[in-house]
Amino acid sequence: MFEHQEAAVRDDTAVRAPDGLMNGNKVPGRGFSDRPKAGLATAMLARLPLAVVAIDADLRLLYWNERAARLFGVPSLMVAEHPSLQTILPGIAGIAPAQQNRIAEFCATRVAAAREGTNEQACRLRLSCGRAGRLGVQTIAMAPGAWMVVFDDGSLAPEAHSAAPNAGDAWLDSLTGLGNRRHFNRVLQDTLDDASSESRHAILLLDLDRFAPINDTLGHSAGDALLCLVSQRLRRELRDDDLLVRLGGDEFAILIQNGDSAAAVATRVGDMLSRPFLVEGHVVNIGASIGVVLFPAPDTTADDLMRHADLALYDAKNAGRRTWRLFEPAMAAEARERRAFETDLRKALALGEFSLAYQAQLNVRTQTVTGFEALLRWFHPIRGSVSPVTFIPIAEEIGCIVALGEWVLREACQAAAQWPNGLAVAVNVSPRQFEDSDRLFAAVQSALQTSGIAPTRLELEITESSFLAREAHVLETLHRLRACGIRIAMDDFGTGYSSLSQLVSFPFDKIKIDRSFIAGLGRKADATAVLRAISALGSGLGMTTTAEGVETKEQAAMVAADGCTDIQGYLIGRPIPASQINLFLCQYILENRPSWMCAGGMEGPEQPRFTAEEPTVTPIGKTA
Amino acid sequence: MRMTSIRRRPSSPATLYRLIYRSQNDIPAIEIGREIRSILVSSRHNNAANNVTGALLFTASGFAQVLEGPRDVVELTFERIGADRRHSDVMVLSFTPTERRCFPQWWMAFCGQTASVDPFSEQNSGNPPLTNLHTATGGDILRLLEKLIQREDEWIAA
C-alpha cells in the first residue's frame, strides 16, 4: 500500500522559506522580502505544482500555498485561524468518503513520525470517481517547532480538485453513488497504459436478468431501490481496490487489477445476485449475466476490451442467463461473421436474391386446393441457400424484415393474380411490421391494387408473438385490415403464450395448428386431444382450422377425423416456384386425388410428384 | 402474454411483516457448533436493537428462519443475512404483512438438534413430518417452529 516516493521538492529556495513563516507572516511571500529575488521565490512557492503547507508542533497550519488550498478545499480566509492539519485532511477533494479517515490518519502518522527529520511516504488512494490515485507526503523539519509538509498530488485526477465544486458528479452515478461509464473508461485507459506483461487484470460486465419486468410491475422507485441493493451486494464482494461502476440502466462493470481470479469473482458475484432481494415489501428474484475479459492482451485497446466483454456477456445471456462467460477470440470471429451476414442480408433485397415458394393448402371436405402459402427463400451467391430459420430472426432484429415483408406482399399478390380465380394466397406478417401499422396497411393496399386481386383472396398469417407488445394497437390494425375483406389467420397456434385469450380477442378467420402437434399424432396421447380441442374451439368461434406439417396419409386421416377443416404439408405438396403452380394444380386434379380420405381407401400415389429443393419449410415470420 | 403494468403501491416501511425463508447449510460439519453460536449471538444482538423477532431452525439439511418486524428493518436484516456465505440456495417462502407477531418475546430461538429439541424427534412423536426443508412451505416451517418453541419453553420451565 505504501510506497516510497521520489523526493518531491528539490528547490532550495522553497526549503529556506520558513524564515518568513517564523516571523509570523502567514501570507505567502512576505517572509522573503529580505532576500534577493525573494519575490520570485515567493511566486515559485505559491505556484509550485505541489501542495505545500507549514505546520507547528501542534500540527496547526502556519502557511499553505495555492495548490494546498485547492487540494484541501479550504478557503484562503481560514488561514488566519490556524486550523489543524488533521481537521482539513479529510477534506481532500475527490477522495472517496470511505477513504478520508484513512488519508487523515496516514498523513497525521507520517507527520508525527517526521518531527525529528525528513520523511517521505506515499499513500495509495481511491478517489470518489473510483480512480486509484497516490498522494505523496514528505515532511521536512525546518526550524525548532516548524515543519514543512509537501503533498505530491500529481497522480490525483486534476478534475477531482479543480475549482468546480461539483466536478466529482461528472464521474458519479447519482443513484448508486458508484462511478459511471466515463469514470470506468478513464480508469480502464489508465490501467491499460500502466499494464506490464506481468499484469493480470480483468473486466466483468454485468447485466441484470429480468430487471425490466420488475421496473414495469413494481414501479421505478422499487427498481431504483433494487439497483442500490445490487450495487451494495456487488461492493461487498469486491476488494477495496476493485473498481465497480454502474454503466447505466441495469448494467454494471467491474475492473479487477491484479486481483482474485476473475472466474472466482464472477461466480461469487453471480451467486450473490441470484439470491432473493426484498424490495418495498416484495420478494424479487433476479440474477446476472456476466461477460469476462482478461487483459492486457496483444494489440487490444480499451474499446476492444469493452466490445469483447460485451460479446462474452451476450454469450452468457444466450447460454440461458444467470451465468458468466469468458471472452474467447472465436466470439469476435462470430461477431464479425454476424456483421458480414447482416450486410449480405441488407443487400439481398436490392440484389434480387430473395424468391418465394408456394405451398398448397387443401380443404379436407371438398378435397380441393384452396390456396397457397408464400414462403420466403434466400439464395446467396456464396452462402448458397440460407435457411429462413437462420435469416428471418436476424432480419427481424436488424429491422430489414419490414421492407422484406412488403416485397413478399407485392410479389405474392402478383403471383396470385396469375392463378385461377378463387385461390387464396397466404402471406406471413412479422410482428415488427405491426410497429408501424400505417405503413403495413399501405403496403397491403398497394399490393392489392397493383396486382388487382380481390382482398378476399389475401390471407395474412400472424403469430402469437405479434401480441406481446401493444396488444390494443395490433388488434386495431387487424380490424382495419379485416374490414377491407382481407382474411386473418393465427399462425403456429399452440406454441406461444396465452393463446386462448388472443383467440377470443379477435375474430380470426383461420387457426393454423402448429406442426409439432401433427408430428406428435399417434406418438403422444395428448396430441389428438389438443387437436380435437382446437378444432372444436375453431368451429365454435367460426374459424377454420388448418393442420400444418402433414406428411403422411395416416396423419391426414387423423387430423381429418379430429375435425380440422384444412391441411398443409408435404403430403399435399412441397413448396414450389410460382412458375410451377398451374402445372401442380393440373396434375393434382388429374393424378393426386386424395384417396386416403375416401372411406376404406388408403391407396393412391405414395408421394406427391412435386418436390422442391429446399428440405425445410419455414415461412417468413417464423423462427422455428 | 399481456404486458400490462400493474403498479403496486408499496406498503409503509413501518408495517409489520413476517419473512420466512429456508436455505442450505454450507458450514463444514466440524465448525457447526461454533458458527451456530456465533450466528445466534449476533442475531440476538442485532435484532434486539432493531425490534426484529423471530426463530431460527437448524436441521441437517439447512436453515429455516422466521423474521418479524417493521418492513424496512426486515428487508435490511435479510439483505445482511441473505448474502451470508455460510448458507446458499436461499429461498424466500413468504414475505407478507401480518397483524401480530408469532414470536413476540423471542428475539431469536434456536431449535437445533440439541438434547431438548430435535425436529426429527418431532416427527417420531407423530407431529407433522418435516423430512426435508427443501420441500417445506412457509406454513410448515411456521407451525413447526411455534411447536418447538412451546416445547422449549416448557422444558425451560420444568
Side-chain angles (χ1 to χ4, degrees):
Chain A
M1 278 307 163
F2 304 113
E3 301 157 48
H4 287 284
Q5 174 108 332
E6 293 286 308
V9 176
R10 299 185 195 282
D11 186 332
D12 285 342
T13 316
V15 176
R16 279 196 297 273
D19 288 359
L21 297 173
M22 297 319 291
N23 289 339
N25 294 313
K26 285 99 191 175
V27 179
R30 288 198 190 147
F32 303 100
S33 56
D34 56 342
R35 289 178 176 272
K37 298 181 183 173
L40 180 60
T42 305
M44 284 170 69
L45 181 57
R47 297 193 180 91
L48 202 65
L50 294 166
V52 178
V53 302
I55 51 168
D56 66 12
D58 296 329
L59 300 183
R60 296 216 166 267
L61 262 74
L62 304 171
Y63 164 86
W64 57 51
N65 68 357
E66 285 172 18
R67 180 76 167 226
R70 277 218 310 275
L71 178 63
F72 298 116
V74 186
S76 51
L77 284 175
M78 260 182 74
V79 76
E81 297 168 15
H82 299 294
S84 161
L85 181 63
Q86 275 167 306
T87 62
I88 63 161
L89 280 173
I92 291 182
I95 304 288
Q99 302 232 316
Q100 286 174 350
N101 289 333
R102 186 179 154 202
I103 177 66
E105 195 181 322
F106 168 78
C107 291
T109 315
R110 295 311 348 135
V111 169
R115 298 275 168 80
E116 300 309 316
T118 300
N119 182 291
E120 294 172 24
Q121 286 282 349
C123 178
R124 221 178 107 111
L125 296 170
R126 192 160 46 80
L127 304 183
S128 60
C129 64
R131 189 181 179 211
R134 200 165 64 166
L135 182 70
V137 183
Q138 186 182 29
T139 310
I140 300 156
M142 297 181 297
W147 291 265
M148 176 167 72
V149 189
V150 182
F151 298 90
D152 178 5
D153 59 339
S155 77
L156 304 184
E159 294 92 329
H161 49 88
S162 68
N166 292 325
D169 293 356
W171 306 90
L172 284 181
D173 169 48
S174 56
L175 175 64
T176 60
L178 299 175
N180 59 18
R181 182 184 292 274
R182 179 178 175 215
H183 175 191
F184 190 83
N185 291 340
R186 165 78 170 273
V187 182
L188 176 59
Q189 190 58 57
D190 286 356
T191 310
L192 205 53
D193 292 345
D194 294 344
S196 71
S197 56
E198 274 81 49
S199 302
R200 294 287 177 271
H201 305 320
I203 297 170
L204 274 68
L205 204 58
L206 276 90
D207 198 85
L208 301 185
D209 302 328
R210 295 183 303 277
F211 178 73
I214 305 285
N215 237 352
D216 289 346
T217 55
L218 302 185
H220 287 287
S221 105
D224 286 354
L226 179 61
L227 289 172
C228 291
L229 289 177
V230 165
S231 66
Q232 287 159 21
R233 279 198 196 176
L234 288 172
R235 192 65 260 176
R236 280 201 300 270
E237 291 307 311
L238 302 172
R239 300 175 309 165
D240 260 6
D241 289 339
D242 298 333
L243 172 65
L244 168 68
V245 304
R246 176 168 168 244
L247 296 177
D250 58 346
E251 211 180 13
F252 294 82
I254 299 167
L255 178 67
I256 301 171
Q257 300 186 36
N258 293 319
D260 302 356
S261 107
V265 177
T267 308
R268 235 174 33 222
V269 154
D271 166 44
M272 273 308 147
L273 297 188
S274 299
R275 298 183 179 205
F277 290 84
L278 300 183
V279 182
E280 293 185 353
H282 306 286
V283 184
V284 173
N285 288 292
I286 52 167
S289 301
I290 307 171
V292 181
V293 62
L294 305 177
F295 70 100
D299 300 322
T300 310
T301 65
D303 280 351
D304 293 338
L305 288 174
M306 291 308 279
R307 205 163 42 245
H308 292 170
D310 209 37
L311 288 170
L313 172 63
Y314 183 77
D315 211 51
K317 284 220 175 276
N318 279 346
R321 298 162 192 266
R322 278 203 181 191
T323 187
W324 62 272
R325 283 287 183 274
L326 182 64
F327 168 76
E328 291 161 26
M331 292 177 187
E334 273 169 36
R336 271 196 300 278
E337 163 52 25
R338 159 87 191 229
R339 277 196 299 277
F341 188 90
E342 288 175 8
T343 309
D344 286 350
L345 189 53
R346 284 198 175 92
K347 289 193 290 193
L349 192 55
L351 294 174
E353 292 168 2
F354 289 109
S355 63
L356 293 181
Y358 297 87
Q359 188 172 35
Q361 299 176 330
L362 186 90
N363 181 282
V364 171
R365 192 179 49 79
T366 63
Q367 300 174 19
T368 53
V369 173
T370 54
F372 293 85
E373 180 182 359
L375 301 166
L376 188 58
R377 297 284 182 258
W378 179 22
F379 187 87
H380 183 267
I382 295 165
R383 298 177 188 276
S385 180
V386 184
S387 166
V389 178
T390 309
F391 75 78
I392 286 181
I394 296 175
E396 292 190 316
E397 213 176 303
I398 64 179
C400 68
I401 196 75
V402 177
L404 196 47
E406 289 169 356
W407 176 83
V408 174
L409 269 169
R410 283 196 305 274
E411 190 75 8
C413 290
Q414 288 288 1
Q418 312 300 316
W419 304 343
N421 204 9
L423 282 180
V425 61
V427 174
N428 292 275
V429 179
S430 161
R432 291 287 313 256
Q433 292 177 266
F434 282 96
E435 288 171 14
D436 186 346
S437 54
D438 288 340
R439 181 171 170 175
L440 173 62
F441 193 76
V444 170
Q445 290 299 329
S446 151
L448 289 173
Q449 280 159 14
T450 313
S451 63
I453 67 166
T456 48
R457 289 180 62 194
L458 177 61
E459 188 171 282
L460 299 181
E461 297 192 0
I462 68 162
T463 55
E464 289 164 289
S465 52
S466 299
F467 289 99
L468 280 182
R470 306 178 68 203
E471 179 174 342
H473 165 85
V474 172
L475 283 177
E476 187 204 323
T477 312
L478 289 179
H479 279 294
R480 265 173 87 194
L481 290 165
R482 199 164 179 272
C484 307
I486 296 157
R487 292 162 52 83
I488 308 289
M490 168 67 90
D491 205 1
D492 295 342
F493 186 78
T495 56
Y497 295 95
S498 50
S499 314
L500 287 180
S501 68
Q502 277 149 22
L503 266 195
V504 294
S505 67
F506 183 78
F508 288 98
D509 296 285
K510 178 190 273 189
I511 308 170
K512 296 191 78 177
I513 304 167
D514 189 72
R515 59 182 58 239
S516 59
F517 294 106
I518 283 73
L521 280 175
R523 292 190 289 113
K524 292 184 198 156
D526 50 358
T528 296
V530 170
L531 219 59
R532 279 188 188 151
I534 299 175
S535 303
L537 191 67
S539 156
L541 293 168
M543 306 171 186
T544 63
T545 43
T546 302
E548 289 186 274
V550 176
E551 295 180 3
T552 67
K553 291 181 287 188
E554 290 75 17
Q555 285 172 344
M558 279 188 277
V559 299
D562 289 338
C564 291
T565 56
D566 299 82
I567 56 175
Q568 182 179 342
Y570 284 6
L571 180 68
I572 313 305
R574 288 174 179 256
I576 52 171
S579 57
Q580 292 180 17
I581 285 190
N582 283 328
L583 183 64
F584 171 87
L585 288 170
C586 293
Q587 292 186 326
Y588 192 87
I589 291 160
L590 290 175
E591 303 174 22
N592 258 2
R593 296 293 297 180
S595 54
W596 43 264
M597 266 190 282
C598 307
M602 291 293 282
E603 295 162 10
E606 286 302 309
Q607 287 290 327
R609 292 180 142 216
F610 311 98
T611 56
E613 295 78 38
E614 291 83 5
T616 56
V617 182
T618 305
I620 180 174
K622 294 185 181 179
T623 55
Chain B
M1 184 162 35
R2 280 167 211 254
M3 299 297 282
T4 45
S5 59
I6 306 150
R7 295 282 160 83
R8 280 186 278 173
R9 183 191 291 274
S11 56
S12 151
T15 310
L16 185 66
Y17 263 68
R18 179 183 302 116
L19 167 74
I20 306 173
Y21 77 84
R22 64 119 177 104
S23 62
Q24 184 188 305
N25 170 27
D26 285 348
I27 304 170
I30 194 157
E31 293 165 21
I32 283 180
R34 186 166 51 83
E35 288 292 341
I36 295 289
R37 261 192 298 281
S38 131
I39 291 170
L40 286 173
V41 167
S42 61
S43 304
R44 281 178 198 275
H45 178 264
N46 292 332
N47 299 336
N50 290 330
N51 196 19
V52 169
T53 58
L56 173 69
L57 171 68
F58 175 74
T59 75
S61 53
F63 295 100
Q65 191 167 28
V66 178
L67 287 173
E68 295 170 337
R71 194 202 84 206
D72 56 348
V73 185
V74 172
E75 288 178 353
L76 205 68
T77 306
F78 180 74
E79 191 53 30
R80 192 176 62 242
I81 296 173
D84 196 314
R85 294 221 158 271
R86 289 175 292 198
H87 65 171
S88 60
D89 198 16
V90 181
M91 182 182 258
V92 173
L93 301 172
S94 144
F95 182 49
T96 48
T98 179
E99 293 292 314
R100 57 168 198 94
R101 293 179 195 243
C102 287
F103 304 96
Q105 77 276 46
W106 287 83
W107 290 340
M108 196 58 58
F110 173 42
C111 307
Q113 289 162 302
T114 63
S116 62
V117 275
D118 179 349
F120 294 97
S121 66
E122 275 291 303
Q123 292 166 41
N124 297 339
S125 62
N127 283 307
L130 187 70
T131 48
N132 187 350
L133 270 183
H134 292 250
T135 55
T137 65
D140 292 343
I141 285 168
L142 196 63
R143 278 189 295 277
L144 178 64
L145 273 168
E146 279 182 312
K147 189 160 292 180
L148 288 170
I149 281 161
Q150 271 174 13
R151 278 172 54 126
E152 196 166 278
D153 273 347
E154 289 161 15
W155 183 81
I156 292 166

